Amino acid sequence: MELGSPAAERDAGLQDYFIESDAFRRVAEGNKRIVIGNRGVGKSAIFQFIARTERKKPLTSVIELSPEDYSYELLRETMATEQEGSWQKQSAYAAAWKYLLYVLVMKEVTKDGGKPARGSALGRISKYVRDHHQGGQHDKLSALISYLKRLEGVKIGKYEGGLKTRELQKLYKLEELVLLLPDLQEVLQRQRVIILVDELDKGWDESEDAKAFVAGLFQACQALNSVSTNMRLYMSLRQELYENIPALYEDAQKVRDLTETIRWDEAGLKRLVARRIRVALLQGKSFDDATEVAGMSDDDLWNALFAETLTYRRNNSFNYLVDRTLYRPREIIQFCSQVIGQATDEERDAPLDYATIVKAEHTYSEDRAQDIAAEYRFQYPELLVIFEEFRGQTYTFDREELELLCLEIILRNRPSSSQLNWLEGFGPDELIDVLWRVGFLKAQAVGGIKGQARSGSTYLGPYQVGSLNMPSITRFQVHPMYRSWLAMREPKGTPNREAESQR
């Protein structure tokens, strides 16, 4: 049985089991244009589904910009620094983004090749594209860099003050294009253009240019989305980057009504997996069997693949798997797929039990630890080194125990090649907060704090509750996702049922 690829961009079957959530509908209807979320929550899946759906509509074009279309390393190596040029790069990147996107839209609305009437709006746009961008650059990033270099040339070139100011104003105001914008608005009354800028985190290097690149796109997003109701610009951004680019804060206030943050709960994740199980079961079934499968509930579909109760743990199998995720679709699909792969290797038939799940869990646990460390590699380099300090420990800590361990981590002598210098100036409380925010620790909620955890579970992660008063928390647990890889132990005297209720 195959549940499809965890990555939407590689999943040919996405159309068969995509879930049209409320968040998706707000984005698809155009009410939300900026999609924020952690890696693996489904941002690319939303964009892929929108692209496939919109392309089926008449007089609708879709422009997709993906990691192949931009390179932070190239930007960093090509552009002068702000200090060298004494210029505000965010404004320059905003202008360059607007220039690139307008040019792409103009190319798109004139690409059919027909000869428009001379003097018409489409005719004037076609003439501009022919005169300035015929053949054009080999890739989309070239147009953006070309415009940035024009700005840079004026900013640090040998222009006199007054001339430099006038030339910069022309470039920042897009004077080359501004007279064509009314024509574009007229053409867009008859045509629709959807622009999707996805996976801005791929290749992210936290450089000055990378930050300006994303912040400039935020500004461009505001400008283009106000041109016409028939032109929509969508962008997606990883939550961690969104929260750590200071230049976005001011712009975030302006586009808050256009921003959709993607979050999942347990019911949504079960529905997602059940939909994939249904599609897998329907393959090769007779008509009668297909009718039976089509009528199965999410619980029935789950139990067709996994034992309802894991005998050794006396625990619901879905709870066991979902507890080892940060509520991200990619994680639950990955874990389920690895369990299926383990069962295939051992020639075990469904429903799959605890013995099969736990064998697959170690590989899954190690993979996820590495993925999380990679996700935060620029903000918190070498997180794996810190995770390793918990190896072999019991997974539950009172605050004093955890503070002592964190203090040891902070004070430990390290080689000069270590990248853990971000710990300098940290105390145990600061490190605990980081480990909670990246999803390594769960905190025991007190005082009636509610989150997305099921009834009876008292430990919460950042994906289950918006915020916690961390100094008031007295007990913590290492997230179940990491425990198998770290060979962690249950607290002495903790019955299995009680241990599971704490997860």
Side-chain angles (χ1 to χ4, degrees):
M1 177 183 290
E2 296 287 341
L3 297 185
S5 171
E9 59 273 19
R10 300 194 302 271
D11 197 344
L14 180 66
Q15 207 84 2
D16 296 328
Y17 36 67
F18 182 81
I19 293 178
E20 297 188 19
S21 64
D22 290 340
F24 164 77
R25 282 188 283 271
R26 287 190 289 269
V27 175
E29 291 167 3
N31 298 321
K32 304 290 184 178
R33 308 286 178 88
I34 300 172
V35 180
I36 306 293
N38 292 116
R39 182 178 290 176
V41 298
K43 302 185 299 296
S44 293
I46 289 175
F47 279 18
Q48 287 286 318
F49 197 84
I50 287 175
R52 296 179 191 182
T53 303
E54 292 289 343
R55 284 197 174 98
K56 297 176 182 178
K57 297 179 181 179
L59 298 175
T60 299
S61 299
V62 177
I63 300 171
E64 294 181 88
L65 274 71
S66 59
E68 294 76 23
D69 299 315
Y70 35 79
S71 164
Y72 297 117
E73 182 180 4
L74 177 61
L75 292 170
R76 186 181 69 250
E77 294 176 351
T78 303
M79 305 305 301
T81 66
E82 286 192 346
Q83 186 176 8
E84 291 173 314
S86 299
W87 59 331
Q88 292 295 320
K89 279 197 172 181
Q90 181 179 339
S91 298
Y93 271 90
W97 262 117
K98 285 186 278 187
Y99 176 80
L100 167 63
L101 293 167
Y102 280 133
V103 168
L104 291 176
V105 171
M106 290 178 182
K107 283 185 173 183
E108 192 66 32
V109 299
T110 59
K111 72 176 184 178
D112 288 342
K115 189 173 182 180
R118 175 178 291 184
S120 67
L122 189 59
R124 287 187 288 272
I125 293 173
S126 296
K127 183 177 185 303
Y128 169 79
V129 171
R130 184 186 67 242
D131 293 347
H132 295 83
H133 299 283
Q134 191 68 36
Q137 292 89 358
H138 296 295
D139 57 70
K140 299 180 179 71
L141 186 64
S142 296
L144 184 139
I145 291 179
S146 174
Y147 205 77
L148 283 169
K149 296 300 286 185
R150 288 165 66 181
L151 281 161
E152 182 186 278
V154 175
K155 193 67 179 178
I156 65 177
K158 297 179 180 180
Y159 285 80
E160 294 183 3
L163 180 59
K164 178 179 291 188
T165 300
R166 288 194 297 274
E167 289 300 312
L168 283 174
Q169 286 178 342
K170 289 181 181 179
L171 291 170
Y172 280 123
K173 291 181 178 180
L174 304 179
E175 284 197 6
E176 181 181 314
L177 297 175
V178 71
L179 294 178
L180 290 171
L181 294 187
D183 293 329
L184 182 60
Q185 289 175 315
E186 181 180 331
V187 171
L188 288 171
Q189 292 177 8
R190 302 182 297 275
Q191 298 185 49
R192 295 178 71 247
V193 178
I194 307 298
I195 310 165
L196 302 164
V197 187
D198 192 19
E199 295 192 285
L200 289 163
D201 59 298
K202 287 291 182 67
W204 176 263
D205 61 6
E206 211 178 36
S207 64
E208 172 187 284
D209 284 284
K211 292 177 181 178
F213 183 87
V214 174
L217 178 56
F218 252 69
Q219 289 188 1
C221 183
Q222 298 173 59
L224 266 78
N225 278 317
S226 65
V227 170
S228 170
T229 56
N230 272 344
M231 181 168 68
R232 298 179 186 174
L233 169 62
Y234 294 100
M235 61 176 287
S236 73
L237 189 62
R238 205 172 76 213
Q239 184 81 40
E240 183 259 338
L241 301 185
Y242 177 70
E243 293 173 350
N244 288 282
I245 302 178
L248 294 183
Y249 295 155
E250 182 180 346
D251 291 329
Q253 299 297 323
K254 300 174 184 176
V255 297
R256 193 172 300 280
D257 61 325
L258 293 176
T259 302
E260 182 70 39
T261 300
I262 307 299
R263 294 187 178 91
W264 289 79
D265 57 18
E266 291 186 2
L269 292 171
K270 177 177 276 191
R271 184 182 172 208
L272 178 146
V273 176
R275 183 75 62 89
R276 289 175 177 247
I277 294 173
R278 176 180 280 116
V279 171
L281 289 175
L282 284 172
Q283 295 176 355
K285 293 288 185 181
S286 67
F287 179 78
D288 289 342
D289 288 335
T291 302
E292 180 182 349
V293 170
M296 293 171 69
S297 68
D298 290 348
D299 287 338
D300 291 339
L301 288 163
W302 178 269
N303 295 335
L305 181 57
F306 297 100
E308 182 175 6
T309 303
L310 302 180
T311 305
Y312 173 74
R313 288 285 179 175
R314 302 189 298 280
N315 184 245
N316 177 281
S317 59
F318 175 75
N319 292 352
Y320 187 89
L321 269 72
V322 80
D323 281 344
R324 283 149 181 80
T325 74
L326 303 178
Y327 286 10
R328 303 181 186 184
R330 188 176 298 172
E331 292 169 340
I332 191 74
I333 296 168
Q334 179 184 343
F335 198 178
C336 290
S337 296
Q338 285 180 302
V339 175
I340 293 170
Q342 183 69 38
T344 301
D345 291 344
E346 297 180 351
E347 298 183 347
R348 291 177 178 267
D349 296 325
L352 308 179
D353 60 10
Y354 176 78
T356 305
I357 292 171
V358 77
K359 287 180 181 178
E361 183 179 349
H362 182 79
T363 300
Y364 166 79
S365 180
E366 182 175 6
D367 288 347
R368 290 306 302 143
Q370 293 174 347
D371 289 345
I372 293 299
E375 184 173 333
Y376 291 94
R377 67 189 180 280
F378 292 109
Q379 190 177 3
Y380 307 117
E382 295 192 17
L383 267 179
L384 279 179
V385 174
I386 294 178
F387 294 168
E388 282 281 3
E389 298 288 347
F390 290 79
R391 182 169 295 279
Q393 304 266 2
T394 56
Y395 57 71
T396 299
F397 298 84
D398 63 34
R399 187 173 197 93
E400 185 177 349
E401 292 172 327
L402 184 58
E403 286 179 344
L404 181 59
L405 177 56
C406 287
L407 185 61
E408 291 175 355
I409 294 171
I410 293 167
L411 297 178
R412 183 151 297 155
N413 290 326
R414 297 184 179 86
S416 58
S417 59
S418 171
Q419 298 182 48
L420 285 169
N421 55 336
W422 55 270
L423 286 174
E424 292 179 9
F426 266 43
D429 289 349
E430 287 83 2
L431 181 53
I432 289 171
D433 185 64
V434 167
L435 292 175
W436 182 76
R437 285 190 285 112
V438 302
F440 183 75
L441 291 177
K442 299 184 78 172
Q444 187 175 44
V446 295
I449 296 175
K450 295 182 179 179
Q452 294 185 39
R454 74 183 69 88
S455 176
S457 179
T458 60
Y459 287 86
L460 298 173
Y463 54 94
Q464 295 169 300
V465 63
S467 62
L468 287 176
N469 180 18
M470 295 302 286
S472 69
I473 304 299
T474 59
R475 291 188 66 78
F476 297 85
Q477 286 188 346
V478 171
H479 193 288
M481 188 167 75
Y482 304 92
R483 295 178 195 169
S484 177
W485 168 61
L486 290 173
M488 302 196 80
R489 299 173 285 115
E490 292 179 358
K492 290 183 179 179
T494 304
N496 287 334
R497 187 183 297 275
E498 180 183 348
E500 287 301 320
S501 72
Q502 295 176 353
R503 298 189 192 282

